[in-house]
Amino acid sequence: MNEDIFNASLRGFLKKVGITSQREIEKAVRDAIEAGKLKGNEKLPAEMTLTLGGTELKLVIDGEIELA
């Protein structure tokens, strides 16, 4: 395995995950507020599952996103 290639690829993937996830969460929250489903002062439970093909990795990360 080439560590430099692996690390660069991994960083690129994580950057994509972070940017895409943030955009989608922001859109979902704005849409829910506009639809009256959220007031804008909630704390929302969040969960993300990470899997990696060819391995047994399945990691669930949970947390909370505060709106106010």
Side-chain angles (χ1 to χ4, degrees):
M1 177 171 71
N2 183 308
E3 289 290 332
D4 291 334
I5 292 172
F6 173 60
N7 287 328
S9 180
L10 179 55
R11 283 193 307 271
F13 174 74
L14 292 173
K15 183 177 180 181
K16 181 178 180 180
V17 168
I19 291 169
T20 304
S21 298
Q22 182 173 347
R23 287 181 187 155
E24 291 299 317
I25 291 168
E26 288 171 347
K27 182 181 182 318
V29 168
R30 286 189 188 106
D31 290 349
I33 289 171
E34 288 177 14
K37 295 178 181 178
L38 294 174
K39 295 178 185 176
N41 61 352
E42 293 88 350
K43 292 181 181 181
L44 306 175
E47 179 180 288
M48 183 173 285
T49 302
L50 173 65
T51 59
L52 183 62
T55 74
E56 294 184 18
L57 176 64
K58 182 174 181 184
L59 176 65
V60 177
I61 301 168
D62 60 354
E64 187 174 74
I65 298 173
E66 296 183 42
L67 303 184

